[in-house]
Structure formats: C-alpha cells, structure tokens
Amino acid sequence: MTVIGAVCLPQLPPERFHDLVRTADEAGLAELWLWEDCFLGGGVATASAALAWSSRLRVGVGLLPVPLRNVALTAMELATLHRLFPGRVQIGVGHGVQDWMGQVGARVKSPMTLLREHVTALRGLLDGDRVTTAGRYVQLDGVALDWPPESFVPILVGASAPRTLELAATAGDGVILAGGTTPGQVRAARETLGDGQLVVYLHAATGADAAERLERERVRWSYPTLDDRAVAGDAAAITEQVRRWASAGADTVVLQPTPDDPDPEGFLRFVAGLSL
C-alpha cells in the first residue's frame, strides 16, 4: 500500500519547526520529510528534533549531499538516529546540487564515483562491518561503528538520471525522486529499481489560490507544463490524482507544498487526512 507523506520545506525558519512537527504528529500524518538544502537547516539536526518532539511520526530526510560528509560521520549519525528512534527514520543520500557543492569547495570531478564509493562504504558500516577501502574519494582504514544499528537500515539514493537510478538499484536499497517526476518516469524508475523502495515528491496545493501558486512553481522549476507534475484541488481531487503515481509504482508519495503556502500547519493536517 502506498503511503502519503508531506515535506516540511526548509524555507520556513527553524523556530517554526516545533509547532509544525507537533501538528503533523497530532494530525496522524504518516511520514514527514525534510530537506538538507544549502544553506538552510541541517538534515540530521532537524530530523532528530522532529523525532524527539513526536511520538509516532516517521521522519525522512531526502537527502544528505555526500560531498559535504565524510562517510564515517554519515554512518555514525544514521546509526545513532536508528538506535534512538528504531523504525521511525528514513534517510537518503545523493549528489547534492553541484553549484552549492562548488560554493563550499566540495565539488568533485566525478560525482557518480563519489556517490558509489560513499554508498558502498556506508552499507558496510551500517551492517556492522569493519571497513577498509581506498577509493578515489572515500578512504577508510579499519573503520567500524561501536554502536551500529540493531536492525537493517535501508539506504535510499536520490536519483533521476539513468546511471544514478542504476546505482540506487545495485548499491542502494531504494530511490528518492524529486518533485516534477511524472507517473511515466516513476514507472520507468520502478522497472530499473525492481523491488527496492521508491519515494517520489509531488508538487501539491489546495485552497482558492492553488493554481496560481503552482504556476509560480512551474516557472521557478522551469517546467514546460504542470501536467503530470503537480496536483491541486480538494481532498477528493488530490487523492484521485495521487493514485496515478501510486499505480505507477511509488511506495511513498510525498506531497510538496509551495514555498508561499499561507498555512503550512493546515497543509500538514490536510495531507494527514488523505487516504488511498
């Protein structure tokens, strides 16, 4: 069964976050997803706060950009979260936005090589192995976690291009697809991924000005059209439209509000009330 979640955009100031998390938890939202966008809130910090402030909410981060993080640190933080909040954490990794990586001096010549090395080493560390590797970008010498996760931790990979989707299928355990992904692209990704977990963001808006706000998103993301890239309307209309992405193979559809949504708490309550 496909899960419907919502993303809490990092464009909101951090001091708003507590009330948003409490709203999501109390409304019964299945999954709250977060972004680690430069140079806004940190993904691990916000995820840990959300998990601590809620009682049942599952929290995802999609995604952590690997050029910013030593793989041992990534493994330490993921293992800690999974031991503190077992069964409630989903975190993906990915290339990151290359312009941002360049701004901080972390851009590499081969993002694909870095991502593959990072995911491979991360898998071993989270499995409790002692890892030694001498890759182009990832070097570890007998590194093992003292407190590895107590159960298997899926590694999700942010992907859109065919080569990265293949990496997600072979080295990872699932994929995170960005907003603007059409049902046809989800179907193609599912064919590449096989049985792996598939999470897709979906632009969404409700209310009297929904169409106008989504049009601004179309311009912002340079989409030629909003057809098959966004959903709008009341609960019944959006639920009916989300079924298309679910039928295409999505395990989780994360509704992505517009940055200018006038009522972020209301959006979370709205999504919590949807059911396929």
Side-chain angles (χ1 to χ4, degrees):
M1 179 178 177
T2 300
V3 173
I4 302 178
V7 60
C8 181
L9 296 178
Q11 284 83 1
L12 294 170
E15 54 268 26
R16 290 283 308 276
F17 194 51
H18 177 270
D19 289 347
L20 289 162
V21 170
R22 295 300 302 158
T23 295
D25 197 42
E26 292 167 3
L29 183 70
E31 295 184 1
L32 181 69
W33 283 77
L34 311 170
W35 294 350
E36 184 168 82
D37 274 3
C38 298
F39 299 93
L40 299 165
V44 174
T46 49
S48 59
L51 290 160
W53 289 334
S54 59
S55 60
R56 42 146 301 280
L57 189 64
R58 285 173 57 84
V59 176
V61 180
L63 45 76
L64 302 179
V66 300
L68 286 177
R69 296 175 176 275
N70 182 283
V71 68
L73 177 61
T74 304
M76 289 162 58
E77 292 188 322
L78 268 61
T80 300
L81 286 178
H82 279 274
R83 290 183 71 110
L84 288 172
F85 307 101
R88 294 179 56 205
V89 190
Q90 298 186 84
I91 294 185
V93 297
H95 296 302
V97 176
Q98 294 305 294
D99 286 346
W100 289 340
M101 300 303 99
Q103 278 185 272
V104 299
R107 189 167 186 167
V108 299
K109 289 185 177 180
S110 178
M112 183 66 66
T113 300
L114 170 58
L115 185 58
R116 182 175 296 279
E117 291 179 359
H118 190 105
V119 171
T120 301
L122 184 61
R123 174 77 282 146
L125 291 169
L126 293 176
D127 286 347
D129 299 338
R130 184 169 299 277
V131 179
T132 296
T133 183
R136 181 176 178 182
Y137 299 110
V138 175
Q139 294 95 36
L140 298 174
D141 183 7
V143 176
L145 298 178
D146 285 346
W147 297 104
E150 295 185 306
S151 59
F152 179 77
V153 175
I155 299 174
L156 304 181
V157 178
S160 57
R163 288 181 62 206
T164 315
L165 281 168
E166 288 284 353
L167 188 156
T170 56
D173 304 292
V175 70
I176 300 173
L177 303 174
T181 302
T182 68
Q185 291 169 323
V186 168
R187 192 170 294 108
R190 171 53 70 196
E191 291 177 359
T192 299
L193 193 63
D195 294 332
Q197 184 178 358
L198 195 156
V199 178
V200 61
Y201 290 104
L202 176 58
H203 296 286
T206 188
D209 62 344
E212 291 81 0
R213 288 188 284 113
L214 283 177
E215 172 60 19
R216 289 193 285 271
E217 284 291 86
R218 185 196 67 77
V219 173
R220 176 189 176 206
W221 294 98
S222 301
Y223 299 140
T225 176
L226 288 174
D227 293 346
D228 285 347
R229 289 183 171 87
V231 297
D234 60 13
I238 286 182
T239 298
E240 184 61 30
Q241 295 172 77
V242 167
R243 288 195 178 103
R244 299 181 58 227
W245 279 262
S247 297
D251 296 302
T252 301
V253 179
V254 184
L255 298 189
Q256 177 179 324
T258 62
D260 55 353
D261 190 298
D263 183 9
E265 286 87 356
F267 183 83
L268 295 175
R269 285 190 289 267
F270 174 82
V271 177
L274 302 178
S275 177
L276 294 178

